[in-house]
Amino acid sequence: MVLADLGRKINSALIDLSKAPVVDEKVLDALLKDICAALLASDVNVMLVQRLRNNVKKSVNINEMGGGVNKKKIIQKAVMDELFELVDPGVEPYKPVKGRPNVFMMVGLQGAGKTTTCTKLAAHYQRKGWKVALVCADTFRAGAFDQLKQNATKAKIPYYGSYTENDPVSIALEGVDKFKADRFEIIIVDTSGRHKQETELFEEMKQISAAVQPDSTIFVMDGTIGQAAESQAKAFKEAADFGSIIMTKMDGHAKGGGAISAVAASQSPVVFIGTGEHMYDLDRFEPQSFVRKMLG
Ligand code: GDP
């Protein structure tokens, strides 16, 4: 179920509630059943769905409500609060500081949209007046440097990479040092997304991280991977200890449940979503407005 449909389903369950002549345990259970079914169909992790159901039931406690209270309002608020909770881990993402270098390191699997997102993020900050540069430390995927170079050139963003050096740690460090010396404010490092072994990929991420000491590590995740989001987010959190997430491919048929599961698995906020293949297809992600929009 795509995100807009999830919103419509939850919305329509809440409208059913508002029309119910009496609000009792049965009506509440029916509402929760509809909402949980919609969340599950959107690939939200089953444990999270159960938790939402239990928390709403606990916080509403319908049998102990007096006659004078507006039960519908209380239930609606409890549902909204739980939905916010699902997408908002309550952790503030890193905020870059003007006038000094801020190093961002991007991690994620090959194909997730990392290289594309690097330029999108760089262009976003450049438009806001920051002095921005890109470093390509993906020596594993043939063509990664060319891709970054092409995107960067189009966006008029300085870049660093190498056709001959094949040690990603050296490239990352050289690039970051060079741009720091040139007083760049935002330096975005693209890393590899695949190796023969997952352990090698994670080892490489750790080495690059130790070398460049990023102020912020961002996990780039494909928004269309559904239930696989949870384990992928967990694995990258353990290996790279990222601080925030960018979900890509949220245009088209992304179910949105992946975003919710990734946030819960890593207790890290989604900061941007990718909404297309072009440079400006990047939107800021705000949990509150996401839930409100989802519910129309
Ligand atoms: P990387 O291997 O992680 O560096 O992935 P790439 O940046 O090369 O992206 C893989 C594919 O996903 C490319 O075809 C991109 O155009 C596409 N892509 C990246 N972000 C988005 C997005 O937000 N929406 C859509 N529709 N496609 C995207």
Side-chain angles (χ1 to χ4, degrees):
M1 192 187 292
V2 299
L3 209 49
D5 292 335
L6 170 65
R8 261 196 295 280
K9 277 270 161 65
I10 293 178
N11 220 355
S12 106
L14 287 170
I15 289 170
D16 285 350
L17 169 76
S18 70
K19 285 185 185 152
V22 261
V23 179
D24 55 14
E25 193 87 40
K26 232 171 90 187
V27 170
L28 177 61
D29 283 343
L31 169 84
L32 287 173
K33 192 169 161 245
D34 287 348
I35 291 175
C36 291
L39 289 167
L40 287 172
S42 286
D43 276 342
V44 179
N45 180 284
V46 65
M47 304 275 282
L48 296 175
V49 176
Q50 259 163 15
R51 198 178 69 193
L52 177 137
R53 184 203 298 259
N54 294 340
N55 285 354
V56 172
K57 286 201 80 158
K58 228 187 289 163
S59 70
V60 169
N61 202 357
I62 211 154
N63 295 323
E64 284 173 22
M65 275 182 191
V69 300
N70 188 336
K71 291 180 187 171
K72 290 175 183 172
K73 269 242 163 75
I74 292 172
I75 293 172
Q76 265 173 358
K77 184 172 178 308
V79 169
M80 289 290 268
D81 285 350
E82 286 300 318
L83 289 171
F84 285 144
E85 189 88 343
L86 278 182
V87 284
D88 187 356
V91 178
E92 275 296 308
Y94 177 75
K95 279 204 176 65
V97 184
K98 277 265 177 199
R100 74 162 183 83
N102 299 266
V103 178
F104 288 73
M105 176 173 153
M106 313 290 270
V107 298
L109 287 185
Q110 182 166 318
K114 219 171 342 83
T115 304
T116 311
T117 305
C118 282
T119 321
K120 284 183 179 180
L121 192 63
H124 166 86
Y125 282 114
Q126 195 182 46
R127 276 200 306 280
K128 291 185 168 269
W130 297 75
K131 195 176 171 194
V132 185
L134 287 161
V135 177
C136 175
D138 181 356
T139 51
F140 191 83
R141 177 162 70 94
F145 180 38
D146 274 333
Q147 187 187 341
L148 185 112
K149 204 166 138 177
Q150 213 173 19
N151 293 343
T153 307
K154 217 189 281 171
K156 299 193 170 62
I157 296 165
Y159 58 85
Y160 183 87
S162 170
Y163 289 111
T164 49
E165 173 62 69
N166 53 21
D167 174 20
V169 182
S170 305
I171 298 180
L173 193 56
E174 278 166 24
V176 167
D177 282 350
K178 173 185 151 42
F179 289 127
K180 273 185 176 172
D182 293 343
R183 300 190 170 280
F184 277 81
E185 294 174 301
I186 294 197
I187 304 164
I188 299 174
V189 182
D190 191 12
T191 64
S192 174
R194 210 194 76 199
H195 263 273
K196 287 181 209 86
Q197 295 278 328
E198 198 178 67
T199 46
E200 284 176 26
L201 170 64
F202 287 166
E203 188 48 42
E204 180 178 305
M205 280 180 344
K206 282 180 191 156
Q207 286 173 12
I208 295 177
S209 182
V212 305
Q213 301 271 323
D215 297 284
S216 167
T217 300
I218 302 178
F219 173 48
V220 179
M221 202 184 94
D222 184 331
T224 65
I225 61 168
Q227 289 286 356
E230 197 207 358
S231 58
Q232 201 186 103
K234 248 193 198 136
F236 273 86
K237 181 74 185 184
E238 270 168 33
D241 193 24
F242 59 81
S244 54
I245 304 170
I246 296 181
M247 296 289 289
T248 62
K249 309 181 194 178
M250 293 297 275
D251 47 316
H253 295 290
K255 288 182 175 180
I260 293 171
S261 303
V263 167
S266 63
Q267 285 302 300
S268 307
V270 175
V271 283
F272 287 96
I273 56 171
T275 55
E277 299 195 58
H278 297 109
M279 185 126 46
Y280 301 114
D281 296 333
L282 186 75
D283 292 343
R284 234 187 208 298
F285 180 86
E286 310 276 1
Q288 304 268 332
S289 71
F290 174 77
V291 171
R292 268 188 214 106
K293 230 188 271 165
M294 188 169 88
L295 300 182

